[in-house]
Amino acid sequence: MANRKRLPNPILCPALVVPSAAAPGGARSFLQAVSKVTEEAPTPLRVVQMEGLAVLKIIKHCEEFAPALVTGQLLGLDVGSVLEVTNCFPFPIREEDDEADADGANYQLEMMRCLREVNVDNNTIGWYQSCLLGSFQTVELIETFMNYQESIRRCVCIVYDPSRSSQGVLALKALKLTDSFMDLYRNNGLTGEKLREKKLSWVDIFEEIPIKVSNSALVSAFMKELEPESPVTQCDFDRLKLSTAPFMERNLEFLIGCMDDLSSEQNKFQYYYRNLSRQQSQQQAWLQKRRQENMARKAAGEEPLPEEDPSNPIFKPIPEPSRLEGYLVTNQISSYCNHINGVAGQNFNRLYLMKSLHED
């Protein structure tokens, strides 16, 4: 499995509060009415619109430090059903201790202050992070999402995979937690009964939001000028390479590691259900013995004893293990299988293409 990196806590600048005069007769102002409507019926997030410069900054930061995992802050605007990512900046790589966390928080605040002084968007709308072969679905990611959700109504995590991008695919995706999963997570309801009640499966944890890359007209015209006249470049010829063994091997290696993790999670639940069955048997035996005692006491004219004894250890409920880790591992296994399936399909296409070229 890939090394897991603890993500930084969110640092948010104070929101700008615009005072408004009270309307005569106790009527609500326009801003108050709009705010109330927004709170009652929030617009669902449909698309993440990213500036080309922000995308290039993310790619450059992740590629420079690969295979190490890095993170950074996303800045932009929340406009209706669109989350606009207009800028970003990287987080410094640091050791995981309290002093380093304080330094990182000061760094983020100083960066956003500098951006505000030069009239650049400094509203936090999420963060980005790199990953290795799609191994980003961890408990740490969910905890960071929940920390952001406490202060930001809508936020996303942009995940970039340098290893997959080297295979000719821009592995960039925007993720958010589903509302149903967040409700269960806040209430510590990730038990089998609650999950069945809400009909929540392992595919309902994350929601992928479509990404739209936008550029200004001036940037688009400049990129058109830089476009080469020859339609075929060396990058296009690289797509015909048949050697993808290292990529497939690492995917299979991580897949095997996930299968071991899933087996460990299943062993936890088997142990839990064995203990639960043993406890129920002990409770039945104790209850049967107590009933026999009560029958004897009734025959002797004495008061019967209660049929439940909270002080008895056998009546102490056994906590059910959380299914979150198992769900995440299953999600990761599905991701690796999709990667292997996609690469294998591309390899078959290349083989058929090469076969046709040799026959010609």
Side-chain angles (χ1 to χ4, degrees):
M1 294 290 291
N3 295 329
R4 293 183 176 181
K5 178 181 178 62
R6 184 168 62 89
L7 297 174
N9 293 327
I11 303 298
L12 305 178
C13 290
L16 296 177
V17 180
V18 181
S20 58
R28 293 182 303 171
S29 67
F30 175 75
L31 291 177
Q32 292 172 339
V34 171
S35 175
K36 186 171 182 61
V37 171
T38 305
E39 292 178 0
E40 293 177 353
T43 306
L45 184 59
R46 302 295 184 187
V47 64
V48 175
Q49 181 174 304
M50 301 185 65
E51 294 284 343
L53 179 60
V55 175
L56 292 177
K57 284 184 177 181
I58 293 173
I59 294 175
K60 181 176 182 293
H61 183 209
C62 296
E63 293 283 357
E64 283 181 350
F65 290 90
L69 303 182
V70 296
T71 61
Q73 194 83 61
L74 296 177
L75 306 174
L77 300 171
D78 185 358
V79 183
S81 61
V82 180
L83 199 63
E84 298 182 5
V85 180
T86 58
N87 204 350
C88 64
F89 63 86
F91 291 149
I93 297 178
R94 60 183 188 272
E95 299 295 330
E96 296 182 359
D97 54 35
D98 295 338
E99 183 177 353
D101 286 344
D103 293 340
N106 294 332
Y107 168 79
Q108 295 176 51
L109 288 172
E110 183 66 19
M111 280 292 299
M112 286 189 282
R113 184 186 66 80
C114 294
L115 291 172
R116 183 171 63 251
E117 288 179 354
V118 294
N119 200 24
V120 175
D121 290 334
N122 65 320
N123 301 314
T124 301
I125 58 172
W127 79 102
Y128 71 86
Q129 69 177 75
S130 62
C131 67
L132 184 61
L133 294 177
S135 56
F136 60 87
Q137 303 180 30
T138 61
V139 177
E140 289 79 6
L141 177 65
I142 293 178
E143 291 176 350
T144 307
F145 258 120
M146 300 306 295
N147 289 335
Y148 271 78
Q149 288 288 339
E150 291 178 0
S151 305
I152 307 175
R153 186 170 60 90
R154 289 194 301 191
C155 66
V156 294
C157 174
I158 303 295
V159 180
Y160 177 73
D161 190 345
S163 56
R164 286 197 62 207
S165 297
S166 64
Q167 301 296 317
V169 179
L170 180 59
L172 191 73
K173 59 176 62 179
L175 300 173
K176 66 180 290 289
L177 294 179
T178 60
D179 296 336
S180 55
F181 174 80
M182 284 192 293
D183 292 339
L184 283 180
Y185 189 85
R186 289 193 187 99
N187 300 324
N188 297 322
L190 296 177
T191 60
E193 181 181 356
K194 292 292 185 180
L195 291 171
R196 287 190 295 269
E197 180 182 340
K198 298 294 184 179
K199 297 181 180 180
L200 191 73
S201 66
W202 56 270
V203 297
D204 300 321
I205 298 179
F206 296 101
E207 178 183 356
E208 185 173 352
I209 309 299
I211 294 178
K212 177 183 177 182
V213 180
S214 65
N215 291 306
S216 64
L218 186 60
V219 172
S220 300
F222 179 67
M223 294 300 295
K224 188 66 177 177
E225 290 292 330
L226 295 178
E227 185 177 343
E229 296 181 0
S230 174
V232 179
T233 63
Q234 183 62 35
C235 180
D236 295 319
F237 290 124
D238 290 341
R239 298 178 186 177
L240 299 178
K241 287 184 178 179
L242 301 179
S243 176
T244 57
F247 184 78
M248 292 286 287
E249 287 175 2
R250 300 197 71 181
N251 267 285
L252 289 172
E253 178 184 348
F254 288 170
L255 179 59
I256 292 172
C258 282
M259 295 300 295
D260 292 338
D261 293 340
L262 184 61
S263 178
S264 299
E265 289 298 315
Q266 291 176 342
N267 290 335
K268 288 181 184 178
F269 281 97
Q270 290 175 0
Y271 180 74
Y272 163 74
Y273 283 117
R274 283 198 301 268
N275 289 340
L276 187 63
S277 177
R278 187 183 304 114
Q279 185 188 55
Q280 290 175 350
S281 300
Q282 293 174 352
Q283 290 175 355
Q284 290 296 329
W286 185 90
L287 185 60
Q288 185 176 3
K289 181 180 178 181
R290 177 55 62 91
R291 287 174 178 172
Q292 291 176 355
E293 291 179 5
N294 286 338
M295 291 176 62
R297 292 175 69 89
K298 286 181 180 179
E302 300 177 357
E303 286 290 331
L305 298 173
E307 293 188 354
E308 289 187 4
D309 186 6
S311 62
N312 196 321
I314 63 174
F315 287 99
K316 184 179 180 181
I318 301 176
E320 181 180 350
S322 174
R323 296 181 181 267
L324 176 60
E325 194 70 38
Y327 272 30
L328 292 175
V329 173
T330 306
N331 234 326
Q332 198 64 66
I333 290 174
S334 175
S335 178
Y336 288 141
C337 291
N338 291 335
H339 293 170
I340 294 172
N341 188 29
V343 173
Q346 293 176 2
N347 286 346
F348 276 117
N349 292 336
R350 292 168 184 166
L351 287 173
Y352 285 127
L353 177 60
M354 295 303 296
K355 180 181 177 181
S356 300
L357 292 176
H358 283 301
E359 290 176 354
D360 294 342

